[in-house]
Structure formats: structure tokens, C-alpha cells
Amino acid sequence: MNGFPWLTVLWALPAAGAFGVFAVPRGRPAVAKAVALAVAVATFAVAVVVAVGFDTGGARYQFVEQHEWIRSLGVGYHLGLDGIGLALVLLTAVLVPLLLLAGWHDPGAGGRRAHTYVALVLATTAMVMISFTALDVFLFYVVFEAMLVPLYFLIGGYGQDAREAGARSRAAVRFLLYNLLGGLIMLAAVIGLYVATAGDDSPFASGTFDLPAIARAVSSGDLAISAPVANALFLGFMFAFAVKAPLWPLHTWLPDAAVYTTPTVAVLMMAVVDKVGTFAMLRFAVELFPDAARTFAPWIVGLSVVAVVYGAMLAIGQRDVMRLIAYTSISHFGFIILGIFALTSQGQSGSTLYMVNHGLSTAALFLIAGFLVTRRGTRAIAAYGGIQRVAPVLAGTFLVAGMATLSLPGLAPFISEFLVLIGTYTRYGAAAVVATAALVLSAVYILWLYQRVMGGRTDDGNRHVRDLRPREIIAVAPLLVLLLVLGLYPKPILDVIDPAVESTLTSVHSSDPPPTVRGGVPTVAEGPGDGPAGGEGGHP
């Protein structure tokens, strides 16, 4: 689009806004929040312009910007956007203004602290935008780690209950330590990748961090990384991404971080920041190390299935409404990673769509639950009952968001979950069958939660719970509308995602398993073997 640096504007707007809010006088917290909201809306407008200008039939990476940064190390300021990145950029651009609106009166985020609160949200947004557009491995690593800083202060500094300050601080420290450990291991892998691209057999004159160039060289065979080295580098990247995602058993930092902070920050973390981990699995781990990805795919698929069932079962047993919703996300991230490492077009398209749909459904459910907890003053499920009699709009929106979370047909998560299961079944039939059990478990935890919280007799403590205010309705209504629209007509977003997924699978020489016939019955290949493009046929 005339060479205009749209992707730079996409992250520079919230970054400038993060500094700009401090120009607002300290005694005007409402003005600071209004400025932050205006910046978030402007960022959304830029994302819409980029989406309109994106050509689904054009080059894979569009709006490319490339400049030298650290010449001696081969580091560049290299941005570009494909369909997968565009879907997640739009998700972020939609959610952030709604989160700022929903969290207008977040506990602890008023008065003098309002400026810092909204600045940290905008700073996190800027780094996430760079992550989804970075085409330089080193640049991605820098923002991958840097985004931990504002999120650490958001988790540790703001929460529903001042009495839980100690628990909140511990949750923030655990979040930081887990992710710093993952980042440290990833740094070793980043250095190892640079050394591999600077070897004697490398097609590059010196080491490089240029993602498209490295991926092309690996795909064509011009850059041959030995299997042990490629496996080690893959595991280094994958460990960091699995912590961020999070994937079982590296998930233990998530529940406390989501419960003790504000609902707005929890949604920012689970619906936006954690998607950087699953996005990076597709963009970096799979494309840079395709052979290693196929080698470890069965193991990662197994961990994903455990996460799907484990998260759902733990959600059923929770007594804390916010913790229950946090555990559902662990199950959903298992689905997303399952689809990625099925290495099929349906699986990866479903996973990318699932990232978007999970962001919308989790945001809606967590925000509405947060509105309820703020009114009642407790997260204990046992303290509720009969809310639908006194707050019908709150109960109704909670029901729709809950139905989306359990992937009810007609709502957006259903089609993404269906694609993941279909794409997984064509290669790992047993894993898909076991993962399907989580559909039953999700119905149990959502319907039982709704029955206990919204149904039954209205206790004295719940008689004065107020219904949703106009501001709160404005914050959640777009999410519910998108869940319905994408559930009935997902084609526009799939048209954007599918070409990028096909490019990914082609670059790693992977294709959907061909049908085979066993005893006269059509079936599909199972296991990590690829179709003809990968040089490995399915099992006879």
C-alpha cells in the first residue's frame, strides 16, 4: 500500500500511547483512561486498514518492512504479515479497547495508579503486535521476553482483593520465573540457530536471523542442519513456547496468575499474550525445524491430549469460579497445540481459528464472571445461586459465553474444534478419539457452573446483585456478536488463514495423509508419516 509502514504504525501507536498517558495530569485518571481507549481504537482502525489491504491470493508475507539493525550480527528490523498473523493481529486489536472499557473501574486501577495501569496494557499490546509481525528471529526473541515486564507488573500490582496482595505477588513471580526460564533456553537455541546459519556449508555469507530466508534454505535443502542439532534447537524453541502457551505440564503458573489479578489483565494474558506461544510454534518451531517437528510430533500430540482432558477434569472440581475458567483455557490450549502438530491442513487451520475463537469466548466468559465477582465480592461458587432472577442480562450473556466455551454448534469455537479433531484424526486417530471426550467434560463443567451460579433459589446475599451496566454491555456485546457470526459464517477468516497454512505445510514438505483401504473400508493414515510431498506415505 504505497510503501507506507503500516506494521510499524500498528505497534508504534500503542507504544506512543503508553508514554503519552503520563502527559495527562495525575489528578485526571478518567482522562488517562480515555486517552488509552482512544489509542486502542486508533490501533484497531489501523488493523482494519491492513486487513482490507491484505490480498489473500498474493504473496505470503505482505506489508513487508526490512531495515538493517545490527549488521555485524545479521539482525534486522524485519516485519511482515501473513494470514495467520493477520488473524491474531485483528484479535488483539478487537480485544484491547474492549478490555480497557470493561476494566474502567478495575480494583486498584483508579486514582494515581490509573496512568500506570493503562500504560502497561498499551505497552503489552505494542509488544504483542511486533511478535505477530516479526520476521527476524532475534527481533522476535527480544519482544517475546520484553513483554514479560509489563505483564509482571500488571499481575502483581492489580487485583480484585487487596487482602490477596501476597498471593498475587507470588503468582506474578511464578509467572516471571517460568517464562524467564523458557526464554533463557530459547536464547541458547537462538544462538545455536545463528551458528548453524554461519557454518561452512551454509548458503549465507555470515550468520543470519532472517526467518523467511532460513526457512527457504531449510526447505530447499541448501541449509542442512544435522538431525541432533536440529532436534536440540527445536526443543529449545518449543520449551519456551510451551511455557508461554501453556502446555501441560508447564502450565502451573497460569491458574494463580489468572485468578489473583483483575479479569481484564487475566484476559489480556490468556486471550492475547499466551497466543504468542502457539503462534510461534507454527511460525518458528515448525518452519525452521520441519524434520524435528515431525520427529517430536507424536510426543507433543500426546502431551496435548493430556492437557485437553486434564484441564477439563480439574475445571469440574473447582470451587472458585475464576479458577474454573482458567483451567478450561489449559484444555483449550491443548486443542490448539494438538491441531498444530497433527501437521495437516485441517488441523493447522482449525488451530489458528481456535486461537481467535478461544480469545473471544474466554474474554467474554472471564469478563462477565469478573463483573459478577466484583458485585458479590467473592469467587466462591457456593456463595452464588439464583442470579438469573435478579440479573437476567448478566445471566444470559454468561450462558451464551459458556455455550461458546463448550463449543456448542452455531457458535465460533465449534468449527475450530471440529477442524482440529478432523485434522488430527487423519493422522492420529486414537488421540482424536480421546480428545473428543473433553467435549463431554466441557459440557459438564459449564452447565454445572451455570446451574450452581445462576439457577436455583436466590439467597439473601445475592438479592441485591445488579444487572450489567451499559458500559459493561458495550464491552461484551461485540464479543458475543463475533462468536455468533464466526460460528455461522467462518469463511472470511478461513479464507485468510488457509493460504498461510498451505504455505507452511508446503515449506516443511508435509501434506495431508492420503486415504487408504483396509478390508474394503476407506480409512486414513496414522502416525507422523507425511503424504507424497513429505516423501513418506501413510501406513498401508
Side-chain angles (χ1 to χ4, degrees), residues 94-104 106 117 160 258 262-268 270-271 321-322 325 359-375 394 397-398 401 405 454 468 471-480:
V94 167
L95 285 182
V96 172
L98 298 179
L99 294 182
L100 288 171
L101 188 61
W104 200 266
D106 272 353
Y117 181 74
Q160 296 280 79
T262 68
T264 299
V265 174
V267 172
L268 181 68
M270 293 189 296
V321 60
M322 308 303 273
I325 300 172
L360 298 174
S361 61
T362 296
L365 189 61
F366 219 92
L367 289 178
I368 296 167
F371 296 152
L372 178 61
V373 169
T374 300
R375 286 159 165 74
L394 190 154
T397 54
F398 188 91
T405 299
M454 303 297 176
L468 293 183
R471 171 184 58 82
E472 295 166 335
I473 294 174
I474 293 172
V476 299
L479 301 175
L480 302 182

Side-chain angles (χ1 to χ4, degrees), residues 452-472:
R452 289 182 289 172
V453 173
M454 303 297 176
R457 185 173 61 88
T458 305
D459 297 329
D460 291 340
N462 296 317
R463 293 187 187 279
H464 301 291
V465 171
R466 294 171 296 176
D467 214 338
L468 293 183
R469 302 182 182 93
R471 171 184 58 82
E472 295 166 335

Side-chain angles (χ1 to χ4, degrees), residues 51-266:
V52 171
F54 189 86
D55 181 6
T56 56
R60 176 175 181 183
Y61 294 113
Q62 301 178 32
F63 303 96
V64 174
E65 303 173 34
Q66 189 167 14
H67 308 282
E68 286 187 348
W69 181 14
I70 309 175
R71 179 183 297 180
S72 60
L73 295 178
V75 178
Y77 175 76
H78 192 184
L79 304 180
L81 198 63
D82 67 353
I84 298 170
L86 176 60
L88 295 174
V89 162
L90 287 173
L91 171 68
T92 305
V94 167
L95 285 182
V96 172
L98 298 179
L99 294 182
L100 288 171
L101 188 61
W104 200 266
H105 297 299
D106 272 353
R112 291 180 172 272
R113 305 186 70 195
H115 295 66
T116 304
Y117 181 74
V118 296
L120 292 172
V121 170
L122 291 176
T124 304
T125 303
M127 295 176 192
V128 168
M129 289 297 192
I130 300 177
S131 297
F132 291 145
T133 57
L135 296 182
D136 184 277
V137 178
F138 187 82
L139 174 63
F140 174 83
Y141 170 76
V142 170
V143 294
F144 184 84
E145 288 293 274
M147 72 177 66
L148 300 179
V149 177
L151 204 55
Y152 166 77
F153 287 108
L154 283 170
I155 294 171
Y158 303 89
Q160 296 280 79
D161 193 337
R163 294 170 298 180
E164 297 175 335
R168 187 161 56 248
S169 297
R170 289 191 294 272
V173 170
R174 177 182 288 187
F175 157 81
L176 189 64
L177 291 179
Y178 267 69
N179 283 274
L180 284 178
L181 174 61
L184 182 63
I185 294 175
M186 181 181 168
L187 176 60
V190 168
I191 295 171
L193 178 64
Y194 178 82
V195 172
T197 61
D200 295 335
D201 298 330
S202 171
F204 304 105
S206 60
T208 182
F209 292 105
D210 190 317
L211 171 67
I214 299 172
R216 282 194 301 269
V218 170
S219 178
S220 64
D222 293 335
L223 177 61
I225 304 176
S226 66
V229 173
N231 289 345
L233 296 179
F234 171 84
L235 290 175
F237 279 91
M238 187 63 196
F239 182 85
F241 303 153
V243 171
K244 180 82 77 178
L247 175 64
W248 183 91
L250 303 173
H251 67 284
T252 55
W253 61 266
L254 176 64
D256 283 349
V259 166
Y260 291 121
T261 189
T262 68
T264 299
V265 174

Side-chain angles (χ1 to χ4, degrees), residues 326-341:
Y327 274 110
T328 68
S329 284
I330 294 172
S331 182
H332 295 153
F333 275 108
F335 270 112
I336 293 170
I337 299 170
L338 178 65
I340 292 172
F341 284 93

